[in-house]
Amino acid sequence: QVQLVESGGGLVQAGGSLRLSCAVSGRTLSGHGVGWFRQAPGKEREFAAYRHWSDGTTYYADSVKGRFIISADNAKNTVYLQMNSLKPEDTAVYFCAAGYSGGAFRTDKFRTWGRGTQVTVSS
């Protein structure tokens, strides 16, 4: 069983940066990957970024491409989301997710979720 714990959220001004961390414990993720999703108030949870654990292939939503970077420290079993040039519309609870079953990056394609970390971007 994989457990995920997010950290690093907070309040930041527009144009600023934050780095989120997702600590992974339990079963090894070798051969799989970790995704980041976010959910703004009153909106559905949406895909932000995904990184394949073993070969490092990454994918990004258009809304964050060029501003967010997903990376990993395999030795620490931790996945990061570096968020730059933040905008007020990036305000959301950010979740990491594992157990990806393939296909589109939808919430129902991921089996395991963390509890999330709040990111608030002020204008």
Side-chain angles (χ1 to χ4, degrees):
Q1 185 80 18
V2 174
Q3 291 86 40
L4 309 171
V5 178
E6 304 93 335
S7 62
L11 174 64
V12 63
Q13 287 190 333
S17 298
L18 277 176
R19 190 178 77 158
L20 305 183
S21 299
C22 174
V24 181
S25 61
R27 270 185 68 191
T28 178
L29 288 179
S30 177
H32 301 277
V34 173
W36 283 97
F37 285 74
R38 63 187 185 180
Q39 187 165 18
K43 295 189 176 181
E44 293 188 353
R45 196 171 297 187
E46 66 175 12
F47 169 74
Y50 175 85
R51 187 184 188 281
H52 197 276
W53 196 256
S54 58
D55 67 14
T57 304
T58 57
Y59 303 87
Y60 296 94
D62 288 343
S63 58
V64 308
K65 198 173 295 182
R67 300 187 298 122
F68 290 11
I69 301 170
I70 187 170
S71 63
D73 185 332
N74 288 23
K76 294 182 178 180
N77 274 0
T78 301
V79 177
Y80 304 99
L81 187 67
Q82 177 67 42
M83 306 186 296
N84 302 317
S85 302
L86 283 162
K87 306 174 182 179
E89 51 264 44
D90 294 318
T91 295
V93 178
Y94 283 72
F95 300 88
C96 60
Y100 174 53
S101 60
F105 294 116
R106 303 196 316 250
T107 55
D108 61 339
K109 295 291 189 177
F110 288 79
R111 184 171 60 247
T112 305
W113 294 83
R115 294 187 175 184
T117 185
Q118 176 71 46
V119 172
T120 302
V121 184
S122 63
S123 57

